[in-house]
Amino acid sequence: MPVVEFSKRRGVGLIRVDNPPINALSQEVRSGINEAVTGGIADPDVSAMVILCAGRTFIAGADIREFGKPPVDPSLPEVIECIENSPKPVIAALHGTALGGGFELALGCHYRIAAPGARVGLPEVKLGLRPGAGGTQRLPRLVGVEKTLKMIVEGDPVPADEALAAGALDEIVEGDLERAALEFAARVVARRRPLRRVSELDLPAVDPAVFDEFEKSIRRKRRGFLAPFHCIKAVRAATEMPFEEGLAYARGLFQELVASPQSRAQRHVFFAERAAAKIADLPPDTPTRSVESVGVIGAGTMGGGIAMCFANAGIPVTMLETSQENLDRGLGVVRKNYERSVSRGSLTQAEMDARLGLIATSLSHDDLRQADLVIEAAFEDIDVKGDVFSKLDAVCKQGAILASNTSYLDIDAIAAFTRRPQDVVGMHFFSPANVMRLLENVRGAKTAPDVLATAQGVGKTIGKVPVLVGSCHGFVGNRMLSKRTREAYFLLEEGALPQQVDRVFQDFGFPMGPFAMADLAGLDVGWRNRKANLQKLTRREQACNILDQLCEQGRFGQKTKAGFYRYDDQRKATPDSDIENLIVEHSAARGIDRREITDEEILERCLYVMINEGAKILEEGIASRASDIDLVWIHGYGFPAYRGGPMYHADEVGLSAVHEALLKYARQCGHEYWQPSALLERLAKEGRGFSEAG
Ligand code: 3H9
């Protein structure tokens, strides 16, 4: 079957693209459209043309898999030029998601109509790119500079009604899209409506300060990313250059970005997210259980955040607590979070009310009888979990999924408190649960396939990136984090200071370094964990007790205004000379001669130690793909997306270089901490990377 078909309906040429799953603009599609439009122009029986798509969506963009390969003609800008220059009107009929190159193609048409549920957008920035086929030059001519900047720099699609109001669409049509498009085309011809070439429209004058202000507004949030700033430059060019010149300039920026390591890394993340949705050893059609009501045990920070995730997705949720006071406090925090969104303008009052209306509270397990899914977010203690899960086992209906939000504990031990271990799964959210996108779903030895498939599906429904992992202490994320934390403390006693370590992390692209992060999370949490596991630690780990010393002074981090840093009322951190003295004295007491530690050593030791742990996690089958580990770190711990995640980063550095560094640090710091994983060692010897480990 050809991917582009041309047919004639009463004088209108109908160009239908059929390239599942998302009608990407592969070379075949581009040349198919080009030929169809050229044919339509030449055909005396054709007076107008309609471009529409089969399947679930209009063209959702260029074919990302073609990027990085030698380009094959016709290029998308050429196809769009052919459409726009057509002497006969061309109408785009949109449904589903008209994104990226697909939306740019529609902008090259003379008219655009859409089905009511359609969404349009230019999400290239999320792939480390900027629109490369005229979007930056045409969109501002239709919707103005401010709206264009928002759409292109944030990259989020907008619904058809918003696009219509902004001027990007001409009409929203009800009913059968093909019929409506043919009628629209016939009307354009009958009324001799002029060809509306967007490139010929004047761009309203704009104050150049808009660009500087926009750049300022994203500087902090998009620190380190190239693409958002390139997007601003390209839109600015539309206001400063004639159309053709602006187009060429913007195309140059696109080519530069496509070839950049950042875009390659972000494309890796795009495909990693799609791969993670699939469960490696289960068929894609594994049935799922329906989840229409949810219970959450615990209304603390985690429980409240989890409840918000479901309410945000329109799913009713009941929060259960042991006292009315706890419930009131928990619900109060949820309300405050929503109020903050309303005051920022990201949520309307009506949406807030609707979401709060979906959150019920209860003091009785009986109220969870009918829940399809219950997520326990109680205190991290196996006896507490035991109590919760035996109660759930007693009251919940058959077939309900019983999930634990535990960060460290053994899922099988938790499942053993019930008579239905097949229904028990880990669903590990990251704090703040309503914000962080990672959901680490943990598979128990007996978890049923449909429970796994449901947990993954639920994750997607509530807008998370679900990653399925096996059960071990700390699962993927916290297990790797614990190695990084250990190394960061060793660096302190060898000569570094918290502010140096944190700066190195920030320079690499993390939003904050390990010590600032520990202060934010609360040092007492790590301290409690350390005390509980002290006997399992090595002699050096036990003796490296800087954390104990801070906590013994009541320095628990931001909440006590003192931790590794001192905090003012606005929570602004300042390095503290008391901490420097404490660390220097600690080194002296341990007989360690402090030395100058380079930024490179800090970065390598902290990253490579966790990459090595990631390799062991892969080796043990706790993660099924290296790219799953990348997602855990990007969406759960702030690893910069433009570096593709720790395992991708290791491949970029080269595993043989990483392996050599592991051996060097083993000699320098102790073999027990730096034993290379067998997998990493093998791949390094074979000259391969984790992405090829499969
Ligand atoms: C661009 O257009 C550049 C231009 O400015 C300039 C060019 C010169 N290419 O997400 P799903 C695959 S850049 C190739 O699970 P959904 C995806 O990997 C592009 N493949 O479905 C998956 O494959 P598999 C700008 C693609 O219903 C399958 O399709 N456009 C592409 O949840 C289903 O995907 C974008 O950035 C692609 N462009 O969501 C839009 N897109 O089954 C990117 C998807 O083997 N796409 N695949 O795993 C999306 O946002 C979502 O896919 C979409 C559908 C919302 C469309």
Side-chain angles (χ1 to χ4, degrees):
M1 287 290 283
V3 290
V4 180
E5 261 187 342
F6 183 83
S7 58
K8 284 188 271 189
R9 310 283 161 91
R10 278 183 260 119
V12 178
L14 190 66
I15 300 168
R16 181 194 299 277
V17 180
D18 189 2
N19 185 29
I22 59 110
N23 288 313
L25 285 158
S26 63
Q27 192 276 335
E28 251 187 306
V29 171
R30 294 194 306 273
S31 65
I33 296 176
N34 216 29
E35 276 168 31
V37 173
T38 313
I41 294 170
D43 189 335
D45 294 338
V46 169
S47 47
M49 284 170 269
V50 164
I51 302 178
L52 51 65
C53 292
R56 57 182 158 131
T57 180
F58 190 76
I59 299 163
D63 189 336
I64 306 167
R65 290 174 214 269
E66 285 185 359
F67 292 163
K69 297 184 185 155
V72 192
D73 283 344
S75 71
L76 184 58
E78 280 163 2
V79 177
I80 295 175
E81 196 183 341
C82 168
I83 294 171
E84 200 180 43
N85 288 341
S86 159
K88 300 177 181 176
V90 185
I91 292 108
L94 318 178
H95 77 290
T97 40
L99 301 179
F103 185 44
E104 290 179 298
L105 183 131
L107 292 173
C109 294
H110 307 110
Y111 296 96
R112 285 154 297 281
I113 65 168
R119 288 183 304 146
V120 303
L122 294 168
E124 284 87 341
V125 71
K126 298 186 180 182
L127 298 167
L129 297 171
R130 42 157 306 279
T136 55
Q137 308 302 299
R138 288 195 177 85
L139 192 58
R141 288 175 158 80
L142 283 175
V143 304
V145 163
E146 270 111 337
K147 181 79 181 165
T148 301
L149 282 173
K150 194 166 161 47
M151 281 180 72
I152 292 185
V153 179
E154 289 172 6
D156 296 325
V158 301
D161 51 357
E162 192 179 322
L164 178 75
L169 298 178
D170 297 290
E171 214 172 288
I172 295 179
V173 294
E174 301 285 342
D176 184 66
L177 183 63
E178 180 181 316
R179 208 175 61 207
L182 291 172
E183 284 169 8
F184 187 94
R187 276 201 306 277
V188 168
V189 174
R191 293 180 193 168
R192 294 176 198 276
R193 285 179 73 175
L195 291 176
R196 192 160 179 255
R197 295 196 171 100
V198 177
S199 65
E200 292 172 359
L201 301 179
D202 285 335
L203 211 149
V206 62
D207 179 356
V210 165
F211 296 103
D212 299 334
E213 271 162 33
F214 202 90
E215 188 177 317
K216 216 167 114 202
S217 74
I218 63 159
R219 207 174 285 153
R220 232 189 71 170
K221 203 166 158 216
R222 312 312 303 274
R223 189 175 57 87
F225 286 88
L226 290 175
F229 301 94
H230 273 50
C231 287
I232 298 175
K233 278 192 206 163
V235 178
R236 188 174 197 142
T239 66
E240 293 172 344
M241 301 176 189
F243 180 80
E244 288 301 335
E245 215 176 296
L247 198 65
Y249 173 76
R251 179 92 184 135
L253 291 180
F254 174 80
Q255 306 284 22
E256 198 183 303
L257 285 176
V258 166
S260 70
Q262 286 208 357
S263 176
R264 269 194 287 121
Q266 287 178 257
R267 273 143 41 202
H268 159 75
V269 176
F270 176 87
F271 288 115
E273 287 175 5
R274 269 90 200 148
K278 298 171 184 125
I279 304 176
D281 57 349
L282 290 186
D285 56 356
T286 302
T288 54
R289 300 185 190 178
S290 119
V291 174
E292 280 163 23
S293 65
V294 174
V296 175
I297 310 276
T301 318
M302 247 2 228
I306 295 170
M308 286 177 74
C309 294
F310 287 95
N312 295 349
I315 300 172
V317 53
T318 301
M319 284 201 295
L320 188 89
E321 258 296 351
T322 46
S323 74
Q324 189 59 42
E325 196 191 338
N326 287 351
L327 274 182
D328 292 345
R329 195 181 321 115
L331 200 59
V333 173
V334 168
R335 183 183 298 278
K336 269 215 181 80
N337 283 338
Y338 280 135
E339 279 169 354
R340 209 172 304 128
S341 302
V342 172
S343 70
R344 270 201 244 109
S346 56
L347 197 71
T348 64
Q349 183 64 46
E351 282 167 337
M352 165 175 158
D353 296 343
R355 290 177 192 194
L356 277 176
L358 286 169
I359 303 179
T361 55
S362 167
L363 294 171
S364 161
H365 282 81
D366 284 344
D367 290 329
L368 302 181
R369 251 176 223 292
Q370 290 311 315
D372 297 316
L373 163 69
V374 180
I375 301 174
E376 162 279 315
F379 192 70
E380 192 72 341
D381 177 287
I382 193 69
D383 296 330
V384 174
K385 307 283 184 197
D387 185 43
V388 169
F389 275 80
S390 29
K391 282 193 182 125
L392 290 178
D393 191 26
V395 300
C396 288
K397 68 179 180 188
Q398 281 308 306
I401 295 175
L402 309 182
S404 172
N405 177 52
T406 179
S407 338
Y408 286 98
L409 299 174
D410 181 359
I411 287 296
D412 295 325
I414 294 176
F417 291 112
T418 72
R419 288 158 297 168
R420 37 173 129 174
Q422 74 281 2
D423 295 337
V424 177
V425 68
M427 290 180 84
H428 181 207
F429 289 75
F430 286 71
S431 188
N434 52 313
V435 176
M436 297 301 283
R437 291 195 66 211
L438 178 64
L439 175 63
E440 222 179 16
N441 282 328
V442 188
R443 167 185 214 152
K446 295 187 180 155
T447 314
D450 62 344
V451 171
L452 297 175
T454 308
Q456 290 287 95
V458 163
K460 216 177 162 196
T461 306
I462 61 173
K464 301 290 175 200
V465 176
V467 177
L468 186 63
V469 303
S471 186
C472 65
H473 187 73
F475 316 124
V476 170
N478 283 340
R479 177 169 155 184
M480 287 166 74
L481 179 70
S482 69
K483 305 297 177 212
R484 185 185 87 171
T485 307
R486 179 184 69 201
E487 212 52 35
Y489 280 114
F490 283 178
L491 284 160
L492 291 190
E493 60 179 15
E494 289 174 35
L497 289 174
Q499 53 270 32
Q500 184 193 3
V501 176
D502 283 349
R503 180 185 45 74
V504 169
F505 271 81
Q506 280 207 301
D507 289 349
F508 183 76
F510 279 88
M512 57 175 76
F515 295 108
M517 188 177 117
D519 273 358
L520 177 67
L523 299 184
D524 49 327
V525 180
W527 190 34
R528 205 180 313 118
N529 200 14
R530 178 174 152 84
K531 281 192 286 192
N533 291 294
L534 202 62
Q535 293 320 312
K536 296 185 201 140
L537 301 182
T538 65
R539 291 248 293 273
R540 179 171 178 191
E541 286 167 335
Q542 289 185 2
C544 183
N545 63 353
I546 297 169
L547 176 68
D548 306 350
Q549 296 182 48
L550 262 77
C551 290
E552 279 156 12
Q553 294 179 17
R555 298 183 72 125
F556 292 160
Q558 285 198 13
K559 60 185 160 193
T560 57
K561 292 194 176 172
F564 285 100
Y565 298 88
R566 199 154 270 295
Y567 294 88
D568 65 15
D569 290 340
Q570 278 70 48
R571 299 193 162 206
K572 189 175 172 306
T574 329
D576 189 342
S577 56
D578 288 352
I579 290 298
E580 183 168 345
N581 294 337
L582 182 152
I583 292 170
V584 170
E585 280 166 23
H586 167 85
S587 305
R590 293 257 296 109
I592 298 171
D593 282 335
R594 292 180 68 78
R595 63 187 168 91
E596 188 89 17
I597 299 189
T598 63
D599 290 357
E600 187 191 7
E601 180 175 341
I602 291 176
L603 190 64
E604 282 191 353
R605 281 176 60 181
C606 290
L607 284 188
Y608 291 0
V609 81
M610 65 182 218
I611 287 166
N612 193 33
E613 197 63 22
K616 291 178 186 171
I617 283 170
L618 261 184
E619 218 171 84
E620 293 164 24
I622 296 291
S624 35
R625 311 169 187 93
S627 60
D628 283 358
I629 301 176
D630 290 332
L631 294 181
V632 166
W633 272 82
I634 288 170
H635 295 300
Y637 299 85
F639 198 101
Y642 60 80
R643 293 194 193 271
M647 310 312 272
Y648 177 89
H649 177 70
D651 280 359
E652 288 288 286
V653 171
L655 291 193
S656 74
V658 174
H659 183 239
E660 264 172 42
L662 295 182
L663 298 180
K664 178 178 86 181
Y665 292 124
R667 288 189 298 273
Q668 181 184 315
C669 315
H671 290 270
E672 66 269 52
Y673 309 116
W674 289 94
Q675 182 61 47
S677 104
L679 174 69
L680 193 150
E681 203 153 51
R682 175 168 60 78
L683 291 171
K685 283 197 182 116
E686 293 168 359
R688 298 197 298 149
F690 289 122
S691 63
E692 303 157 287

